[in-house]
Amino acid sequence: MKVLIDGSVELEAPTGMTVLQLLLERFPVKAGSAVAARINGRLVDLTALPEEGELEIVVWGDEGADEVYRHTAAHVMAQAVLELYPGTKLAIGPAISDGFYYDFDIAESLSPDDLPRIEERMAEITRRDEPVVRETWEREEAILFFRDEGQGYKVEMLEEMDEDRVTIYRQGDFVDLCRGPHLASTGRLRHFRLLSLAGAYWRGDEHRPMLQRIYGTAFDDASELDRYLEFLEEAERRDHRRLGKELDLFSFHEEAGPGVVFYHPKGAVLRGIIEDFLKSEHTKRGYEMVITPHLFRGQLWHTSGHMDYYKDNMYFFEKDGMEYVVKPMNCPGHLLIYKTRPRSYRDLPLKYFELGTVYRYERSGVLHGLLRVRGFTQDDAHIFCTEEQLEEQVGECLEFAFYSLRAFGFEDFEVYLSTRPEDSVGSDELWEKATMVLGRSLEDLGIPYSVDPGEGVFYGPKIDIKLKDAIGRSWQGPTVQADFNLPQRFDLTYAGADNKPHRPVMIHRVVLAGIERFYGVLIEHYAGEFPLWLAPVQAAIIPVADRHLDYAHEVEGTLRTSGVRAEVDEDRQTVNMKIRRAQLQKIPFSLVVGDREVENRTVSVRDRNGKDTRGVPLAEFLSRVLERVEERSIAGGWED
RNA sequence: GCCGGUGUAGCUCAAUGGUAGAGCACCCGCCUUGUAAGCGGACGGUUGGAGGUUCGAUUCCUCUCACCGGCUCCA
């Protein structure tokens, strides 16, 4: 049998010899690093038998290798848990993007202190270096086996499978139903770490039993594991909740209830900058700003359909025997404004923009700092247009969104087109049409995207843009949604050129989306070191001694008059201390003023990187700052 | 909402079935300071809240609130 290995070496493989044996015999060096193999394009175990054709050796770093590796790590962990907690029932244990997890049904509940113990047992299992064996069983046989073992979840999975034959992986006494492939032996698993413990419902269904999930990660390369653990630390260092406290930006209060944000003075400055940006950019693009109330009668939400599809997320109350709703969305308000007078095709597209604050009930367990709150403000707009204008308008929204995200320093995006969810309104025909238009707008702009089936909103399909931050994490960002439904429900019309009534279509779109969430992402993206134009305080003025206070205030006045956010640190403290405080507050520039500066009308500029430049004329400092703010520069150093 | 964890001074964190402690911050003094912590002093707590067990609870138990890690959902 002729086998072409890695596209270069052709050799005659003896029958009955596994890929691993072949490697050991012919390429012993490779055998040690091999994770799996690909036979004619199919990912298989190293214990598979080669076939005539191409054989590729998959090593760590190759596509698919991490998945195989971590899947085996999950099995080793499951084996360890079974050994330590006999009677544990296994659910599922897949590899995920940065690691793996396994869900267990264990009689006793695990605590984080148990993880090291499990990790140790895993290490022991890897030392045993038990071969991982793939077997093919009759499904019925597997059902009997797992039933006998008391592994009900496995039985349930088996019973739902269509195949007659299933694959089983075995290492030592540990047997698991699994598609594979896996590492050839437990000893091949080298660097791993158990990370956290969590509850997870069997099959993600809250009506099913709650299982205990252990998350972990594994790498073949020790330095990669280290790097990943450093990444986790870095993420913690950037945590907006922590930075929000340290930088005095915002707070939450038990007395006020969870999920509602209090912006402190510095936090409000940053929020104001974001809002100013949005207002001016919307105005530039022909949007008209509107303001709508926070409370609407319940009836309106029946008309809009929210009462049917969004009720669980809405806050209600009753007064004078009348039902009221705290608005969870801004659209109905904008529709009411549209309807205040007859509209003509000449009015379209009509673009209403609102910094609309909405309240949505979120289950207590999902709240998360600014990223998931109950009260938030959206940069929300609704575009009423003709069907013909739809595609162009969607395109403009997308361009607007990308422009804005780039202005705030985000460069990498992922785009998703979400289609009709199960619970939704409108005809299939409308959905199909809207979905098509969205897809075409993306294609026209040459934006690559993937389809997210069933993830649309109840009234229409949508485009979601996810942004990647400085350390590569992605976050939910702008969305553009087509809506053929609400105009119908509210009976919106416009007079066409033919002088007949027509139905407009509507686009819901946000640019930065929820301001709170965007704000949180912004903090994490910059780790609190905001670019000059966003920094709540741009310059800390540090007098060397009391006699420099007058000049310090003069500098402050000059800067403030020109719109630079400057503050004098008047504390009778050492220069070192005042510098330290400014650094910890991540203020872009510290201006030290002493005798020399007073005499020469200069400032000594220290940037956030710790570099100082002395004798900078005040006027020069001011003009350079204004210039950078104007161009929204992300340069951090004074010399940059 | 559910599973697990956590809750002690403004912040970060100790301690313990027997009087609750440190560092930093705040306040007051001294120092008048040149690029990341000058020195001293004073103040500061119903140990998240309510109930229970106990001679005695911050510690053990129950309930509750909030937060953290997830499940699910979403801007």
Side-chain angles (χ1 to χ4, degrees), chain A residues 318-324:
Chain A
E318 187 247 278
K319 214 71 186 167
D320 291 339
M322 196 76 80
E323 179 181 42
Y324 284 89

Side-chain angles (χ1 to χ4, degrees), chain A residues 296-307 325 327-329 332:
Chain A
F296 299 175
R297 281 193 176 148
Q299 181 51 47
L300 188 70
W301 303 98
H302 279 111
T303 307
S304 68
H306 286 86
M307 219 55 118
V325 169
K327 73 171 169 182
M329 291 190 189

